[in-house]
Amino acid sequence: MRILVTNDDGINAPGLETLERIARAISDDVWVVAPEMEQSGASRSITLADPLRIRKIAERRFEVTGTPADCVIMAQRKILSGNPDLVLSGVNRGQNIADDVTYSGTIAAAMEATSLGFKAMALSQTTGMFNQGEHAFDVAEAHGAAVVRK
């Protein structure tokens, strides 16, 4: 099973590393295509006026100068040789509930994937609205693979 992993927090986000581990617990064919910089709140926007740049970071790991939706499109059209069987987006640091879902780049990447005909899921984790410390993703990592498999 080919899994495409993306997010809206950027290529160096700890949540993306967590999502990679979740994906690798399910498949050996994992590709990462994520924004070079944080794109929180980008919603489902795509880049129209500026050129998109793709940079290979490592084997099956790429950064794109655009939005999360751009990353899904570029992965499908320019990076992957074939379509993904599943697109996972996240793990977002913080909640994506209520009105947040209309702004979330994390959810937008999954929506873009479904509009292209791919199965997709967005994962988010919050540690409480008053948590000022570093965000830990241990809950997402402990339960993520089982939730995705279901």
Side-chain angles (χ1 to χ4, degrees), residues 4-17 19 32-40 61 66-69 71-72 87-93 105-107 109 123:
L4 170 62
V5 175
T6 193
N7 71 355
D8 73 352
D9 291 325
I11 191 75
N12 297 312
L16 184 65
E17 293 174 12
L19 190 57
V32 178
V33 181
E36 72 170 343
M37 298 194 305
E38 182 169 344
Q39 295 287 321
S40 295
R61 186 175 179 84
T67 67
C71 291
V72 173
V87 176
L88 298 177
S89 183
V91 173
N92 191 69
R93 70 171 181 271
T106 300
I107 292 176
L123 290 86

Short mmCIF file of all heavy atoms in Angstrom, two decimals, residues 4-17 19 32-40 61 66-69 71-72 87-93 105-107 109 123:
data_model
loop_
_atom_site.label_atom_id
_atom_site.label_comp_id
_atom_site.label_asym_id
_atom_site.label_seq_id
_atom_site.Cartn_x
_atom_site.Cartn_y
_atom_site.Cartn_z
N LEU A 4 0.82 8.43 1.09
CA LEU A 4 1.35 9.78 0.99
C LEU A 4 1.08 10.47 2.31
O LEU A 4 -0.06 10.48 2.80
CB LEU A 4 0.69 10.54 -0.16
CG LEU A 4 0.98 12.04 -0.24
CD1 LEU A 4 2.47 12.30 -0.45
CD2 LEU A 4 0.14 12.69 -1.33
N VAL A 5 2.12 11.08 2.88
CA VAL A 5 2.01 11.79 4.15
C VAL A 5 2.28 13.26 3.90
O VAL A 5 3.24 13.62 3.22
CB VAL A 5 3.03 11.22 5.18
CG1 VAL A 5 3.02 12.02 6.46
CG2 VAL A 5 2.73 9.76 5.46
N THR A 6 1.42 14.13 4.46
CA THR A 6 1.60 15.57 4.33
C THR A 6 1.09 16.25 5.59
O THR A 6 0.66 15.59 6.54
CB THR A 6 0.89 16.09 3.06
OG1 THR A 6 1.33 17.44 2.80
CG2 THR A 6 -0.61 16.02 3.18
N ASN A 7 1.12 17.58 5.62
CA ASN A 7 0.64 18.32 6.79
C ASN A 7 0.48 19.80 6.43
O ASN A 7 0.64 20.18 5.28
CB ASN A 7 1.59 18.14 7.98
CG ASN A 7 2.92 18.86 7.80
OD1 ASN A 7 3.20 19.44 6.76
ND2 ASN A 7 3.75 18.83 8.82
N ASP A 8 0.20 20.61 7.46
CA ASP A 8 0.21 22.06 7.24
C ASP A 8 1.21 22.76 8.16
O ASP A 8 1.39 23.96 8.08
CB ASP A 8 -1.19 22.67 7.39
CG ASP A 8 -1.68 22.74 8.83
OD1 ASP A 8 -1.03 22.19 9.74
OD2 ASP A 8 -2.75 23.35 9.05
N ASP A 9 1.90 22.00 9.01
CA ASP A 9 2.86 22.59 9.95
C ASP A 9 4.27 22.64 9.39
O ASP A 9 5.17 23.17 10.03
CB ASP A 9 2.85 21.80 11.27
CG ASP A 9 1.55 22.00 12.04
OD1 ASP A 9 1.00 23.12 11.99
OD2 ASP A 9 1.07 21.05 12.67
N GLY A 10 4.49 22.09 8.20
CA GLY A 10 5.79 22.18 7.56
C GLY A 10 6.59 20.89 7.63
O GLY A 10 6.34 20.02 8.46
N ILE A 11 7.57 20.79 6.75
CA ILE A 11 8.37 19.58 6.58
C ILE A 11 9.13 19.18 7.84
O ILE A 11 9.41 18.00 8.05
CB ILE A 11 9.34 19.74 5.37
CG1 ILE A 11 10.00 18.41 4.99
CG2 ILE A 11 10.38 20.81 5.63
CD1 ILE A 11 9.11 17.45 4.28
N ASN A 12 9.46 20.13 8.70
CA ASN A 12 10.24 19.83 9.91
C ASN A 12 9.40 19.70 11.17
O ASN A 12 9.95 19.65 12.27
CB ASN A 12 11.32 20.90 10.11
CG ASN A 12 12.32 20.90 8.97
OD1 ASN A 12 12.82 19.86 8.58
ND2 ASN A 12 12.58 22.07 8.42
N ALA A 13 8.09 19.61 11.03
CA ALA A 13 7.21 19.56 12.19
C ALA A 13 7.28 18.21 12.90
O ALA A 13 7.30 17.16 12.25
CB ALA A 13 5.77 19.84 11.77
N PRO A 14 7.31 18.21 14.22
CA PRO A 14 7.31 16.96 14.98
C PRO A 14 6.09 16.09 14.70
O PRO A 14 6.18 14.86 14.69
CB PRO A 14 7.33 17.42 16.44
CG PRO A 14 7.81 18.82 16.42
CD PRO A 14 7.41 19.38 15.09
N GLY A 15 4.94 16.70 14.45
CA GLY A 15 3.74 15.94 14.13
C GLY A 15 3.87 15.16 12.84
O GLY A 15 3.32 14.06 12.69
N LEU A 16 4.62 15.70 11.88
CA LEU A 16 4.85 15.00 10.61
C LEU A 16 5.72 13.77 10.85
O LEU A 16 5.47 12.71 10.29
CB LEU A 16 5.49 15.93 9.58
CG LEU A 16 5.69 15.35 8.19
CD1 LEU A 16 4.35 15.05 7.53
CD2 LEU A 16 6.51 16.30 7.34
N GLU A 17 6.73 13.91 11.70
CA GLU A 17 7.57 12.76 12.05
C GLU A 17 6.74 11.67 12.71
O GLU A 17 6.91 10.48 12.42
CB GLU A 17 8.69 13.20 12.99
CG GLU A 17 9.71 14.11 12.34
CD GLU A 17 10.72 14.64 13.33
OE1 GLU A 17 10.80 14.13 14.47
OE2 GLU A 17 11.47 15.57 12.96
N LEU A 19 3.52 11.18 12.24
CA LEU A 19 2.66 10.60 11.20
C LEU A 19 3.45 9.66 10.30
O LEU A 19 2.92 8.63 9.87
CB LEU A 19 2.00 11.71 10.39
CG LEU A 19 0.90 11.24 9.43
CD1 LEU A 19 -0.20 10.48 10.16
CD2 LEU A 19 0.33 12.44 8.69
N VAL A 32 6.66 11.23 1.71
CA VAL A 32 6.37 12.47 2.42
C VAL A 32 6.51 13.63 1.45
O VAL A 32 7.55 13.80 0.82
CB VAL A 32 7.33 12.68 3.61
CG1 VAL A 32 7.05 14.00 4.31
CG2 VAL A 32 7.22 11.52 4.59
N VAL A 33 5.44 14.41 1.31
CA VAL A 33 5.45 15.63 0.51
C VAL A 33 4.73 16.68 1.33
O VAL A 33 3.52 16.63 1.51
CB VAL A 33 4.77 15.44 -0.86
CG1 VAL A 33 4.84 16.74 -1.67
CG2 VAL A 33 5.40 14.29 -1.64
N ALA A 34 5.50 17.62 1.88
CA ALA A 34 4.95 18.60 2.83
C ALA A 34 5.44 20.00 2.49
O ALA A 34 6.46 20.18 1.82
CB ALA A 34 5.36 18.22 4.25
N PRO A 35 4.71 21.01 2.98
CA PRO A 35 5.13 22.39 2.73
C PRO A 35 6.49 22.69 3.36
O PRO A 35 6.81 22.17 4.44
CB PRO A 35 4.05 23.23 3.41
CG PRO A 35 2.89 22.33 3.60
CD PRO A 35 3.46 20.95 3.75
N GLU A 36 7.28 23.54 2.70
CA GLU A 36 8.58 23.89 3.26
C GLU A 36 8.43 24.73 4.53
O GLU A 36 9.30 24.70 5.39
CB GLU A 36 9.45 24.63 2.24
CG GLU A 36 9.00 26.04 1.94
CD GLU A 36 10.00 26.83 1.12
OE1 GLU A 36 11.17 26.43 1.03
OE2 GLU A 36 9.60 27.85 0.56
N MET A 37 7.33 25.45 4.65
CA MET A 37 7.09 26.29 5.83
C MET A 37 5.67 26.06 6.34
O MET A 37 4.82 25.52 5.61
CB MET A 37 7.26 27.77 5.47
CG MET A 37 8.67 28.07 5.02
SD MET A 37 9.12 29.80 4.95
CE MET A 37 7.95 30.56 3.93
N GLU A 38 5.43 26.49 7.53
CA GLU A 38 4.09 26.32 8.13
C GLU A 38 3.04 26.98 7.27
O GLU A 38 3.21 28.10 6.78
CB GLU A 38 4.05 26.92 9.54
CG GLU A 38 2.71 26.70 10.18
CD GLU A 38 2.69 27.03 11.65
OE1 GLU A 38 3.75 27.15 12.27
OE2 GLU A 38 1.57 27.18 12.18
N GLN A 39 1.91 26.26 7.09
CA GLN A 39 0.80 26.75 6.29
C GLN A 39 -0.52 26.64 7.05
O GLN A 39 -1.58 26.48 6.45
CB GLN A 39 0.70 25.93 5.00
CG GLN A 39 1.89 26.09 4.07
CD GLN A 39 1.89 27.44 3.39
OE1 GLN A 39 0.86 27.95 2.99
NE2 GLN A 39 3.06 28.02 3.26
N SER A 40 -0.44 26.71 8.37
CA SER A 40 -1.66 26.65 9.18
C SER A 40 -2.63 27.74 8.75
O SER A 40 -2.23 28.88 8.51
CB SER A 40 -1.33 26.82 10.67
OG SER A 40 -0.54 25.74 11.11
N ARG A 61 11.10 11.73 0.29
CA ARG A 61 10.81 12.86 1.19
C ARG A 61 11.08 14.17 0.44
O ARG A 61 12.20 14.44 0.05
CB ARG A 61 11.64 12.76 2.45
CG ARG A 61 11.31 13.78 3.50
CD ARG A 61 12.12 13.53 4.77
NE ARG A 61 11.84 14.51 5.77
CZ ARG A 61 10.83 14.46 6.62
NH1 ARG A 61 10.01 13.43 6.59
NH2 ARG A 61 10.63 15.40 7.50
N GLY A 66 4.54 25.46 -1.69
CA GLY A 66 3.14 25.84 -1.63
C GLY A 66 2.39 25.38 -0.40
O GLY A 66 2.96 25.11 0.66
N THR A 67 1.10 25.26 -0.57
CA THR A 67 0.15 24.92 0.48
C THR A 67 0.01 23.40 0.62
O THR A 67 0.50 22.65 -0.23
CB THR A 67 -1.23 25.51 0.15
OG1 THR A 67 -1.74 24.82 -1.01
CG2 THR A 67 -1.17 27.01 -0.11
N PRO A 68 -0.70 22.95 1.65
CA PRO A 68 -0.96 21.51 1.77
C PRO A 68 -1.70 20.93 0.55
O PRO A 68 -1.37 19.84 0.09
CB PRO A 68 -1.80 21.40 3.04
CG PRO A 68 -1.35 22.58 3.86
CD PRO A 68 -1.12 23.67 2.87
N ALA A 69 -2.66 21.66 0.02
CA ALA A 69 -3.35 21.18 -1.18
C ALA A 69 -2.39 21.09 -2.36
O ALA A 69 -2.43 20.13 -3.13
CB ALA A 69 -4.53 22.11 -1.51
N CYS A 71 0.72 20.40 -2.15
CA CYS A 71 1.56 19.23 -1.89
C CYS A 71 0.90 17.95 -2.40
O CYS A 71 1.57 17.10 -3.01
CB CYS A 71 1.87 19.10 -0.40
SG CYS A 71 2.97 20.40 0.21
N VAL A 72 -0.39 17.82 -2.17
CA VAL A 72 -1.11 16.63 -2.64
C VAL A 72 -1.13 16.60 -4.17
O VAL A 72 -0.86 15.56 -4.79
CB VAL A 72 -2.54 16.58 -2.06
CG1 VAL A 72 -3.34 15.45 -2.68
CG2 VAL A 72 -2.49 16.44 -0.54
N VAL A 87 -3.89 8.83 1.66
CA VAL A 87 -3.21 10.08 2.02
C VAL A 87 -3.51 10.36 3.48
O VAL A 87 -4.67 10.38 3.90
CB VAL A 87 -3.69 11.25 1.13
CG1 VAL A 87 -3.04 12.55 1.58
CG2 VAL A 87 -3.40 10.97 -0.34
N LEU A 88 -2.45 10.56 4.25
CA LEU A 88 -2.58 10.93 5.66
C LEU A 88 -2.04 12.34 5.83
O LEU A 88 -0.95 12.66 5.34
CB LEU A 88 -1.80 9.96 6.55
CG LEU A 88 -2.24 8.51 6.52
CD1 LEU A 88 -1.32 7.66 7.39
CD2 LEU A 88 -3.69 8.38 6.98
N SER A 89 -2.79 13.17 6.54
CA SER A 89 -2.39 14.55 6.77
C SER A 89 -2.33 14.82 8.27
O SER A 89 -3.23 14.46 9.01
CB SER A 89 -3.38 15.49 6.10
OG SER A 89 -2.97 16.83 6.26
N GLY A 90 -1.25 15.45 8.72
CA GLY A 90 -1.09 15.75 10.15
C GLY A 90 0.28 15.33 10.62
O GLY A 90 1.21 15.34 9.85
N VAL A 91 0.39 14.88 11.79
CA VAL A 91 -0.53 15.06 12.89
C VAL A 91 -0.46 16.54 13.27
O VAL A 91 0.60 17.05 13.64
CB VAL A 91 -0.16 14.19 14.10
CG1 VAL A 91 -1.04 14.51 15.30
CG2 VAL A 91 -0.21 12.71 13.78
N ASN A 92 -1.60 17.21 13.17
CA ASN A 92 -1.68 18.63 13.45
C ASN A 92 -1.47 18.88 14.94
O ASN A 92 -1.99 18.16 15.77
CB ASN A 92 -3.05 19.18 13.04
CG ASN A 92 -3.09 20.68 13.06
OD1 ASN A 92 -2.45 21.32 12.25
ND2 ASN A 92 -3.84 21.25 13.98
N ARG A 93 -0.68 19.91 15.26
CA ARG A 93 -0.54 20.28 16.66
C ARG A 93 -1.70 21.20 17.00
O ARG A 93 -1.79 22.32 16.51
CB ARG A 93 0.81 20.90 16.95
CG ARG A 93 1.00 22.26 16.39
CD ARG A 93 2.29 22.92 16.91
NE ARG A 93 2.40 24.22 16.34
CZ ARG A 93 2.99 24.48 15.19
NH1 ARG A 93 3.59 23.53 14.53
NH2 ARG A 93 3.00 25.70 14.71
N GLY A 105 -5.35 23.73 7.10
CA GLY A 105 -4.60 23.17 5.99
C GLY A 105 -4.45 21.66 6.11
O GLY A 105 -4.37 20.96 5.11
N THR A 106 -4.44 21.16 7.35
CA THR A 106 -4.35 19.72 7.58
C THR A 106 -5.56 19.02 6.98
O THR A 106 -5.43 18.05 6.23
CB THR A 106 -4.28 19.42 9.10
OG1 THR A 106 -3.14 20.07 9.64
CG2 THR A 106 -4.21 17.93 9.36
N ILE A 107 -6.72 19.52 7.29
CA ILE A 107 -7.95 18.92 6.75
C ILE A 107 -8.06 19.18 5.26
O ILE A 107 -8.50 18.32 4.49
CB ILE A 107 -9.17 19.42 7.54
CG1 ILE A 107 -9.11 18.86 8.97
CG2 ILE A 107 -10.47 19.05 6.84
CD1 ILE A 107 -10.17 19.32 9.90
N ALA A 109 -5.72 19.26 3.04
CA ALA A 109 -4.91 18.29 2.28
C ALA A 109 -5.69 16.99 2.10
O ALA A 109 -5.69 16.41 1.01
CB ALA A 109 -3.59 18.03 3.00
N LEU A 123 -5.28 13.83 10.78
CA LEU A 123 -5.11 13.53 12.20
C LEU A 123 -4.64 14.78 12.92
O LEU A 123 -3.74 15.48 12.45
CB LEU A 123 -4.08 12.42 12.41
CG LEU A 123 -4.50 11.03 11.96
CD1 LEU A 123 -4.20 10.84 10.49
CD2 LEU A 123 -3.77 9.99 12.77
#
